[in-house]
Amino acid sequence: MAEERSRDRIQSIERAVAVLRAFGGHDAALSVSGVADRVGLPRPVVRRILLTFEHLGYVRVQNGRWSLTARILELGAGYFASSSLPEIAHPVMSDVVARTGETCSLGVLDGYDVIHVARVEERRPLPDAVRIGMRLPAHATAVGRVLLASLDPVSRERYLDGQPRERFTPRTIVEAAALRAHLEEVGRRGYDLSLEELHPGMIAAAVPVVVDDLAVAALTVSSTTVRSDAETLTAEIVPVLREAAAEIAARHRAANPHLFRSGQAGVGTAIEADGNSVPR
């Protein structure tokens, strides 16, 4: 299947999407050279792509630096429709924040990363706050490992044998054997904790959102070591997350019965041999 998908790909579209994704970091504006360095493409190719997107209204240039326009939000509008998982989850997540006093997020797996698709902030802002659409490394986050633990065995092994994993803090699990054992434990207990593995002082708990035995997303609560600890996350936060995840799953299934009759939830992913994610 991977070879067949590779033959059907259109390289020019892949390059254009890579250029758009180059603007996903903290820099709001980039030069042509800056984009080229991020995506590994020649500057003339990047310039032509940017000029095309400028014609379409998705980017603008000022003083030699390119940035996205508000029109780019059109591309994600369908995902955030009224029947989408983020919209369905939002009121439930607001209740989680009210009950726990902590920030709640919803993430989905995309290759080796997790993309946060919904977030409800607590009044006390967190350092290194996550934005909707931000990508985080799956191996260093509770939300990511919950989703990795829910993958089928073949996809999980492809992930473990894939690209090297970065060690963000001394606590980050990067070795394949250690991560495999951890994911097996996460699968057995049905939740995970991240204790200063991505950022010092940051901790989180996460549980999967499961519909018809498919983890369509993961729900997570984030806090700091000043406000919470592993025991509190396990005893007080995880039960709230489990209740909320079950409610989100029920609402998602009721709003999208056609997806689950066909066995396609449209959110869960598997990892192919080339590291790409495809719907399961």
Side-chain angles (χ1 to χ4, degrees), residues 165-251:
R165 289 169 285 274
E166 183 176 353
R167 189 184 298 278
F168 296 94
T169 77
R171 292 175 175 265
T172 310
I173 304 173
V174 295
E175 296 83 5
L179 186 54
R180 181 182 293 106
H182 186 86
L183 294 179
E184 290 173 355
E185 174 62 22
V186 170
R188 285 192 292 269
R189 68 190 183 193
Y191 71 91
D192 193 23
L193 304 181
S194 176
L195 306 174
E196 299 187 274
E197 296 177 56
L198 185 60
H199 298 294
M202 297 296 298
I203 61 177
V207 303
V209 178
V210 179
V211 184
D212 292 356
D213 297 322
L214 173 67
V216 298
L219 195 63
T220 180
V221 157
S222 304
S223 186
T224 70
T225 53
V226 175
R227 303 203 303 241
S228 191
D229 54 30
E231 290 74 19
T232 301
L233 290 178
T234 303
E236 300 180 11
I237 303 297
V238 169
V240 175
L241 284 175
R242 282 178 162 158
E243 183 179 333
E247 177 65 19
I248 292 170
R251 294 187 183 194

Side-chain angles (χ1 to χ4, degrees), residues 9-259:
R9 290 171 182 164
I10 301 175
Q11 186 182 59
S12 58
I13 295 178
E14 290 183 334
R15 288 179 169 181
V17 171
V19 167
L20 284 182
R21 291 178 64 184
F23 294 92
H26 294 288
D27 297 326
L30 295 168
S31 65
V32 171
S33 296
V35 176
D37 290 341
R38 287 193 176 189
V39 301
L41 292 174
R43 280 180 290 178
V45 172
V46 170
R47 181 177 178 275
R48 290 198 299 271
I49 292 173
L50 287 171
L51 288 171
T52 302
F53 281 133
E54 182 186 32
H55 172 71
L56 295 172
Y58 292 118
V59 301
R60 66 167 66 92
V61 61
Q62 186 174 12
N63 299 325
R65 297 181 70 81
W66 296 81
S67 59
L68 301 178
T69 70
R71 178 172 284 189
I72 200 72
L73 298 175
E74 294 176 344
L75 301 180
Y79 184 75
F80 291 97
S82 60
S83 62
S84 73
L85 188 57
E87 289 297 313
I88 290 169
H90 197 274
V92 183
M93 294 168 62
S94 296
D95 182 61
V96 170
V97 172
R99 294 173 64 183
T100 65
E102 301 290 357
T103 295
C104 184
S105 301
L106 187 76
V108 298
L109 191 64
D110 184 54
Y112 299 104
D113 298 323
V114 169
I115 298 179
H116 285 252
V117 298
R119 187 171 175 87
V120 178
E121 295 277 356
E122 205 273 335
R123 289 189 301 274
R124 297 169 294 176
L126 291 170
D128 301 304
V130 173
R131 304 187 306 271
I132 292 177
M134 182 177 284
R135 306 175 71 90
L136 295 178
H139 72 281
T141 59
V143 61
R145 291 197 299 259
V146 162
L147 292 169
L148 290 174
S150 301
L151 286 174
D152 64 89
V154 173
S155 294
R156 193 188 309 169
E157 286 304 311
R158 283 174 176 163
Y159 170 82
L160 292 169
D161 295 336
Q163 66 185 30
R165 289 169 285 274
E166 183 176 353
R167 189 184 298 278
F168 296 94
T169 77
R171 292 175 175 265
T172 310
I173 304 173
V174 295
E175 296 83 5
L179 186 54
R180 181 182 293 106
H182 186 86
L183 294 179
E184 290 173 355
E185 174 62 22
V186 170
R188 285 192 292 269
R189 68 190 183 193
Y191 71 91
D192 193 23
L193 304 181
S194 176
L195 306 174
E196 299 187 274
E197 296 177 56
L198 185 60
H199 298 294
M202 297 296 298
I203 61 177
V207 303
V209 178
V210 179
V211 184
D212 292 356
D213 297 322
L214 173 67
V216 298
L219 195 63
T220 180
V221 157
S222 304
S223 186
T224 70
T225 53
V226 175
R227 303 203 303 241
S228 191
D229 54 30
E231 290 74 19
T232 301
L233 290 178
T234 303
E236 300 180 11
I237 303 297
V238 169
V240 175
L241 284 175
R242 282 178 162 158
E243 183 179 333
E247 177 65 19
I248 292 170
R251 294 187 183 194
H252 185 45
R253 197 187 198 292
N256 300 279
H258 58 288
L259 294 179

